[in-house]
Amino acid sequence: MFERTERLLLRPGWAEDAPALQGAIADEGIVRNLAKVPWPYSLADAEAFLARDQTPSEPALLIFLRGGTAPELIGGIGFGRAPDGALEFGYWIARPHWGCGYATEAGRAVLKTARDSLRIGKLVAGHFLDNPASGRVLQKLGFRPTGKILPRFSAGRGEAVPSRLFDLELGEGETAQPARMAA
């Protein structure tokens, strides 16, 4: 799966992306907000991630910023399985690119493909309570809070952390309108 937006290129990761991946995500401030990424994050971790088998219905894509002389790897986005087996949406953006709207832009493209091409009906997502910015991105993408806060293991932190859960019904037409998040 490949996607292009106004500013971004989203594509599967290749073995030669390992150094750029390691460089972009090897930041404790990023990894602590992810469930499955270890800290510290090494080149071997990047190589293993890029070499793993992928299911076509659960793509994991790298996010590249277009417009310069060469695309710059600035994040990752895709689908995987939540602890309960539900299909889960997730993303991360490299710290120098926080607050630029890239996660929302990439998310809209991936969710459109999930609905229109992959025929995914429902997704779940979550964010650690101490990362409210991620919750705002999920809201912009149409995810709705379920009202549940559960512990979720963070490999980067090495412990379970309270996580607010969301879900999204992907129906016909445009992605659902953003929901208001309960405090």
Side-chain angles (χ1 to χ4, degrees):
M1 178 173 135
F2 289 77
E3 292 288 340
R4 250 180 88 165
T5 70
E6 183 179 333
R7 303 179 293 171
L8 306 172
L9 168 67
L10 287 65
R11 67 161 174 80
W14 301 321
E16 56 268 25
D17 294 320
L21 174 57
Q22 192 268 337
I25 198 173
D27 176 334
E28 190 174 10
I30 296 168
V31 173
R32 72 183 318 276
N33 291 320
L34 303 173
K36 300 176 183 175
V37 179
W39 181 255
Y41 193 83
S42 68
L43 182 58
D45 292 320
E47 291 167 343
F49 175 79
L50 295 168
R52 82 203 183 296
D53 288 334
Q54 283 200 57
T55 304
S57 62
E58 298 175 17
L61 306 172
L62 297 180
I63 303 171
F64 292 87
L65 183 60
R66 300 185 305 117
T69 55
E72 175 189 0
L73 195 156
I74 64 163
I77 193 165
F79 309 109
R81 291 291 164 182
D84 67 0
L87 191 58
E88 181 175 47
F89 170 78
Y91 68 90
W92 62 272
I93 299 292
R95 188 187 298 262
H97 303 284
W98 288 358
C100 298
Y102 297 132
T104 303
E105 185 174 332
R108 285 187 177 130
V110 168
L111 292 176
K112 182 177 185 323
T113 297
R115 182 189 65 238
D116 297 346
S117 298
L118 301 175
R119 305 286 188 225
I120 294 171
K122 183 177 181 178
L123 290 166
V124 299
H127 73 88
F128 295 127
L129 292 184
D130 60 1
N131 181 18
S134 188
R136 289 190 294 275
V137 169
L138 292 173
Q139 285 184 271
K140 289 178 192 176
L141 293 173
F143 281 85
R144 300 191 186 283
T146 65
K148 295 179 184 174
I149 296 173
L150 297 175
R152 174 86 187 256
F153 186 77
S154 166
R157 300 182 198 201
E159 64 184 356
V161 181
S163 179
R164 176 171 281 128
L165 305 183
F166 291 75
D167 61 21
L168 174 65
E169 296 287 341
L170 292 170
E172 296 299 318
E174 289 299 312
T175 301
Q177 292 299 309
R180 295 184 146 240
M181 185 159 73

